[in-house]
Amino acid sequence: MPGKGAKTPAWWYDGAPVPLGARLLAPLYAAVARLRRGLYRRGWLRRRQVPVPVIVVGNITAGGTGKTPLTIELVQRLRAAGWKPGVASRGYGRDDAGTARWVTADLAPGLGGDEPLLIAWKTGVPVRVDRDRVAAARALLQAGCDVVVCDDGLQHYRLARDIEIEVVDAQRRYGNGRPIPAGPLREPVARARDCDFRVVNLGQAGDAGEASVAAGFGEWTMRLCIDSARPLRGRRERPLQAFAGQRVHAVAGIAHPQRFFQMLRDHGIGVVPHAFADHHRFQASDLAFGSELPVLMTEKDAVKCKAFATDWHYAVPLQAELPAAFWVALLDRLGKLARA
């Protein structure tokens, strides 16, 4: 069964025939997911509350949809509004996944996980990784946080939440609409109607305009933007325009590496693409390309390459842009929760 970091099966999104084995397993997966959620909804499995608001940023499909860039922007907006946010994450791919720990910008990637490490590096807020998100939320509370943001965890029902934000890839949406492993769905599409906000990730294309209303709740668009390159060692940040007309090695160990490569091409950069599996554990040999072209990589990859980076290695910061009305609506909802 495909997991996080595994290659996405072709039949999920491209219309290819679904193998018989996947078709047979899908109803079992769906039944287990439906039973588990039903047990929590009926109170037969107990949800745990924490005395601060909890915001979950997640999706109902397997794979990347842009949750982490949105989480980073959300944390920064909360801080600007006077909140003291902390981030709870499972920390996928850690060496000792059963050990809870605080993640700081200088922690080894194998101990913290690449996405929590990136969040800590970009925001400086408390980040706690723990399989048990209830325990993670309580630790953040003890650390002085007054709002908990969960990076992923929409299906982690044991932690009660106040606001759910579903993130959807605009191009892929829900794929073939089938449950794992026949399709990408962790839960039925109808589950999304229970979320408070739906954010549709347009990538770089499109315009993050005003909200539309769909299926009884707000749908908002998110655009991912890049405009600079940050050296991993010493030198000053450079505008991406400085690389226009040049060839570069482009490195992406993310769910959809082609999206990153296209974003660079849209800036007039000649891309020599190097795609790695999502959550790839980089070694120095992975970046030995045999030429001294600049190497541009995602920030998620850069946090795992800092230890052996050279002057030719750059991280490309990704900025999530959403309409101002989205932040007004979200902060208004949060304020009402705090007053209640």
Side-chain angles (χ1 to χ4, degrees), residues 69 114-115 118 121-122 224 226 228-230 232 249-264 274-280 282 287 295-306 313-318:
D114 50 14
E115 287 159 346
L118 174 59
W121 186 38
K122 291 276 285 186
L224 301 179
I226 57 174
S228 64
R230 179 189 304 166
L232 270 63
H249 292 293
V251 172
I254 57 177
H256 307 310
Q258 295 303 324
R259 172 171 281 174
F260 176 66
F261 302 151
Q262 187 57 50
M263 292 172 81
L264 294 177
H274 302 276
F276 294 83
D278 196 11
H279 303 284
H280 178 72
F282 284 92
L287 305 184
V295 178
L296 304 186
M297 65 185 72
T298 73
E299 288 185 301
K300 178 177 168 179
D301 300 315
V303 295
K304 294 176 285 188
C305 298
K306 289 189 296 182
H313 295 142
Y314 295 84
V316 179
L318 193 66

Side-chain angles (χ1 to χ4, degrees), residues 8 35 84 201 314:
T8 300
L35 173 63
K84 298 177 182 177
N201 179 9
Y314 295 84

Side-chain angles (χ1 to χ4, degrees), residues 87-168:
V87 176
S89 174
R90 175 188 173 190
Y92 179 85
R94 296 188 289 134
D95 291 332
D96 53 350
T99 302
R101 61 165 47 89
W102 295 104
V103 178
T104 56
D106 57 354
L107 187 69
L111 296 178
D114 50 14
E115 287 159 346
L117 187 60
L118 174 59
I119 293 168
W121 186 38
K122 291 276 285 186
T123 69
V125 303
V127 178
R128 184 74 171 177
V129 289
D130 196 333
R131 280 179 174 173
D132 183 351
R133 287 181 178 83
V134 176
R138 289 171 175 166
L140 291 167
L141 182 65
Q142 292 297 316
C145 299
D146 57 10
V147 58
V148 172
V149 178
C150 293
D151 181 37
D152 207 354
L154 201 60
Q155 290 77 35
H156 192 92
Y157 289 114
R158 186 165 171 267
L159 175 61
R161 67 286 311 268
D162 301 284
I163 298 174
E164 291 184 329
I165 304 173
E166 182 209 9
V167 188
V168 185

